Amino acid sequence: TICVTCSFSPGLTNCSLFAGAEKQVYLADGGKLILESPIPAELKPLRRILWKYNGDMVVEWVEKLGSVEYYGAFQGHTTLDRKTARLEINDLTLIYSGVYSLELNDQLQSETYKVIVISKYRVSKPTVRVEPPFCSSTSSLCKLSCNGGIQEAEPISYSWRQDTGDWTESSKLMDITKNDNHVENFFCQMKNPVSEEESEPWKNEFYKGLSFTLHSKMNKSLTFCQHTHAGLAVWCY
C-alpha cells in the first residue's frame, strides 16, 4: 500500500495515490510532496533506505553509517523519516517533476510515482472563434476554436457545451453544421489542474430561432420573428 499526499496552496485540490496504482500526480509549484509506504514485515528492521528520482539518488540512509545523506537539488528542503521511510519535499519547483522510486534494504519496491509539478499559472478566460473567419447560415460547415491557452498554463483540457447542456470534454476545435440549427449558443471551457474558465456564449450562425404567423383584423399576416443574435422580437408584414 502506498499513500501520496499532495499539499497545495489555498483553493487547490489535494490528490492521492492508492495501493498498487501508478498515476500522474499533479502538484502546484511551491507546494509539498509526501511519499509514504508501509514497511513489509519481512523487511523489518530497516537497515537501508534509498529514494531515487529518475534513477538518481534523492536521499540515502544506512544504519551502519548512522547519518542521512541528501543529494543535489534535494538538499535543504527534503526530510526522511528513518523509522517509516516517509519522504517529504517542500517548496517544489518544476525541476522536481519525474519518477520517484524506493529501495528498502536493497530491495526495489514495486510502486513508482510519476510526479508532475506545474506552475501556478491559471487559465485565462477563453474566447470562441470561428474558422474560417467567415461563417454564415449558408455555410455547410464551420469550425469553432477555443482560444486563450498559453504554454505556461499547460496541461490544458478543453470542453464544449450547447446552451444549458452538460460540458463534454473534447479538443480545442469543434465542428458544427446545419444540423446544429437547434442550438442557439455554444460555450467552451479551458481547465488545468489549478483552475478553470469558460467563455462568453458564441451565437450560432445556423440557429433558426422562432417564427410563427398570426392573422390580424386587417386580414394581413403578421409574422413574429426572433432575431438570431440580438434576441429582439419584431412584427413583420
Side-chain angles (χ1 to χ4, degrees), residues 2 37-38 40 43 101-104 107-113:
I2 293 293
S37 173
L43 295 180
S101 60
L102 172 64
E103 294 181 15
L104 298 175
Q107 293 188 27
L108 177 64
Q109 303 303 291
S110 60
E111 296 83 3
T112 59
Y113 322 97

Side-chain angles (χ1 to χ4, degrees), residues 20 28 32 47 55 80 84 96 102 105 171 178 181 184 217:
K32 177 191 294 184
R47 300 183 304 276
L80 175 70
T84 64
Y96 297 100
L102 172 64
N105 293 351
S171 63
K178 292 181 179 180
N181 57 18
E184 182 176 5
K217 292 181 179 180

Side-chain angles (χ1 to χ4, degrees), residues 127-130 133-137 142-144 160-163 174 176-177 180-188 199-209 226-232:
T127 57
V128 178
R129 294 182 181 176
V130 65
F134 178 76
C135 177
S136 70
S137 58
C142 294
K143 190 180 294 290
L144 302 185
W160 293 87
R161 175 165 65 86
Q162 300 178 1
D163 292 328
M174 183 180 69
I176 61 171
T177 67
D180 296 305
N181 57 18
H182 61 288
V183 180
E184 182 176 5
N185 296 304
F186 287 96
F187 302 79
C188 80
S199 69
E200 295 297 325
W202 182 82
K203 301 295 184 180
N204 184 11
E205 296 287 351
F206 297 126
Y207 181 57
K208 285 185 174 180
Q226 180 176 338
H227 194 283
T228 302
H229 294 290
L232 301 176

Side-chain angles (χ1 to χ4, degrees), residues 7-8 16 28 42-44 48 75 80 82 88 129 131 142 156 171 181-182 216 235-236:
S7 178
F8 298 98
S16 58
E42 63 271 19
L43 295 180
K44 295 181 179 179
R48 182 173 181 261
Q75 298 182 63
L80 175 70
R82 290 174 287 182
E88 182 175 316
R129 294 182 181 176
E131 298 179 1
C142 294
I156 298 174
S171 63
N181 57 18
H182 61 288
S216 71
W235 290 100
C236 313

